[in-house]
Structure formats: C-alpha cells, structure tokens
Amino acid sequence: MISTLFDVITKLSSYAMVIFFAMFVYFKVTGKHGKYPYGKYALISLVLMAVFGTLFFNSPKGKEVIRKGNAEQAEQAERTEKSVKKPTKVPTKSTESAVKHKLDTTHALLFDHQDQLRSSKSAFTVQVTDKRDTTESFKLTTVAILKAIKDSKYDQYERFNIIFNRNVGNGKKQTIVRSTFTKQNLKKLNLNKLETTQLKSKADHYYENK
C-alpha cells in the first residue's frame, strides 16, 4: 500500500513539475506576470518527485520494477547481440608462415633457439631447440604457436605436433615439452583463456620432462 502511495505521489509530482515549468517559461517569454510563482512550484514538484521516487524505488515494489527492467534490458541486449552478426575473419597466411612469424617475434623465448617446421599431408610439426629457456617459457610458446596455427589456413592438417628440446651439448638434445593437438580439438579450444597449466588436460597427447 505504501509503495503504491509513493508511486502515485511521484507521478503526480512529475506531471505538476512539467505543467508549472511550462507556465513559468510561458510567462517568462511573453513578459506577462503570472498569478502564481510557477517557478517555485516547479522546483517544489521536482523535490517531491525526487524524494518520493527514491522512497518508491527503495520499496519492495520499486525494487521489483527495477529487477524486471534490468531483466528486460539484458534480454533486449542479448537479442541485439545475436542479430548483429560479426563478419567471419578469413585466414590468409599459411600455417608455416604464421608459426614462423610467431617464433620470430615471441617474447616467451628469451634466448637463441633453432626451430624446424615440417609438414606432411596430415600433420604439421614444430620443433624448437635451445639451451637456456625454461619449461614455462616452452609452455607459453606452445600456447602462442596454437594461436598462430588457429589464425592460419590450417584445415589441410589433421594433427599438430609441438616439440621443445633442450640442447645438452655434444650434438645431443633432450625433449622437455611435447604436445599433440588434433584439428577437431584445436577448433573447440578457446585459446584466449588457455593457461599453461591446462595444456596437459587439453592436449590429445602431452609429455613434460620433470
């Protein structure tokens, strides 16, 4: 009951404010003298509207109105977002050039490294060898390589192998991190949210030298 009273007073105050303000402007423009202080009445109506409007929207009924309004706004925004289709980005780079560029520009590998890219009809393999970078650097670079692959024309391959080796001297190397991702798996992955700690669970095959 009290919520309804606040609502009625708020609406009446808003109507009165519009009328009094219109009268105030009319007499101000024409230079005539009004019988009543319409400007003061408009100000009083504005104050009443603000006070009782605040009381109404803090009441249970007012909060319900706000909740319904927010829900309708969210629903409308969702419908608008669905109706506006973003243009599909068509990759233009080959997988080899995209990965090569990423390896040349990445900041995850701090030291000199050698990379080797190989491809067959069904598989694309990236092999990186260096002496000093950490396992975490290798894992960060793995994520970067996956992003580069996904931004390239990779549909021709069914499997992607990413291998990081440690150069231990005397022409020998030791595999530190190795992962394999199928094309189907790569398409499903949200790489913008992929953390290095998730590589083991997300890859089709994963090996890490402890």
Side-chain angles (χ1 to χ4, degrees):
M1 181 66 183
I2 193 70
S3 298
T4 304
L5 179 63
F6 289 155
D7 186 27
V8 170
I9 295 175
T10 301
K11 289 176 180 176
L12 290 176
S13 300
S14 67
Y15 299 150
M17 183 193 69
V18 172
I19 294 170
F20 289 139
F21 184 72
M23 295 298 293
F24 171 75
V25 172
Y26 170 76
F27 285 113
K28 203 74 174 174
V29 171
T30 60
K32 297 179 180 180
H33 295 285
K35 187 177 180 180
Y36 302 102
Y38 294 111
K40 185 183 292 184
Y41 290 168
L43 184 60
I44 293 172
S45 300
L46 176 62
V47 171
L48 288 173
M49 183 180 70
V51 171
F52 285 97
T54 301
L55 292 172
F56 171 71
F57 285 113
N58 281 306
S59 69
K61 185 177 179 181
K63 289 178 180 178
E64 179 66 16
V65 170
I66 293 174
R67 187 189 66 77
K68 287 182 179 178
N70 289 338
E72 289 176 3
Q73 188 175 10
E75 186 178 345
Q76 178 63 36
E78 186 177 352
R79 284 200 300 267
T80 303
E81 186 177 351
K82 287 181 179 178
S83 64
V84 179
K85 294 183 178 179
K86 295 181 179 179
T88 304
K89 183 180 177 182
V90 179
T92 56
K93 282 187 175 182
S94 69
T95 303
E96 184 171 350
S97 62
V99 172
K100 181 65 176 173
H101 176 74
K102 180 59 67 177
L103 288 172
D104 289 342
T105 57
T106 183
H107 298 292
L109 295 176
L110 302 178
F111 302 100
D112 291 339
H113 57 274
Q114 296 176 334
D115 52 75
Q116 183 180 10
L117 309 180
R118 301 194 311 272
S119 60
S120 65
K121 288 184 178 180
S122 61
F124 183 83
T125 300
V126 183
Q127 189 164 207
V128 179
T129 302
D130 83 357
K131 291 182 179 180
R132 302 171 64 186
D133 276 299
T134 64
T135 300
E136 184 62 22
S137 293
F138 294 155
K139 291 159 78 173
L140 285 168
T141 309
T142 298
V143 175
I145 290 172
L146 289 172
K147 289 180 179 179
I149 292 172
K150 203 165 184 179
D151 286 337
S152 72
K153 297 186 288 186
Y154 69 94
D155 270 331
Q156 67 191 89
Y157 304 111
E158 298 297 326
R159 188 175 70 257
F160 303 92
N161 306 307
I162 304 173
I163 307 162
F164 288 91
N165 300 316
R166 174 87 68 229
N167 188 337
V168 294
N170 296 324
K172 296 181 180 180
K173 56 188 179 183
Q174 182 182 33
T175 299
I176 305 301
V177 177
R178 179 188 180 109
S179 56
T180 298
F181 292 82
T182 62
K183 181 170 64 177
Q184 290 76 10
N185 187 7
L186 185 60
K187 285 184 175 181
K188 292 185 294 182
L189 284 178
N190 184 349
L191 297 178
N192 292 323
K193 295 184 178 180
L194 181 63
E195 302 288 341
T196 56
T197 53
Q198 298 175 305
L199 283 173
K200 184 176 182 179
S201 60
K202 298 295 184 180
D204 293 279
H205 299 285
Y206 184 84
Y207 167 79
E208 183 178 328
N209 189 312
K210 299 299 184 180

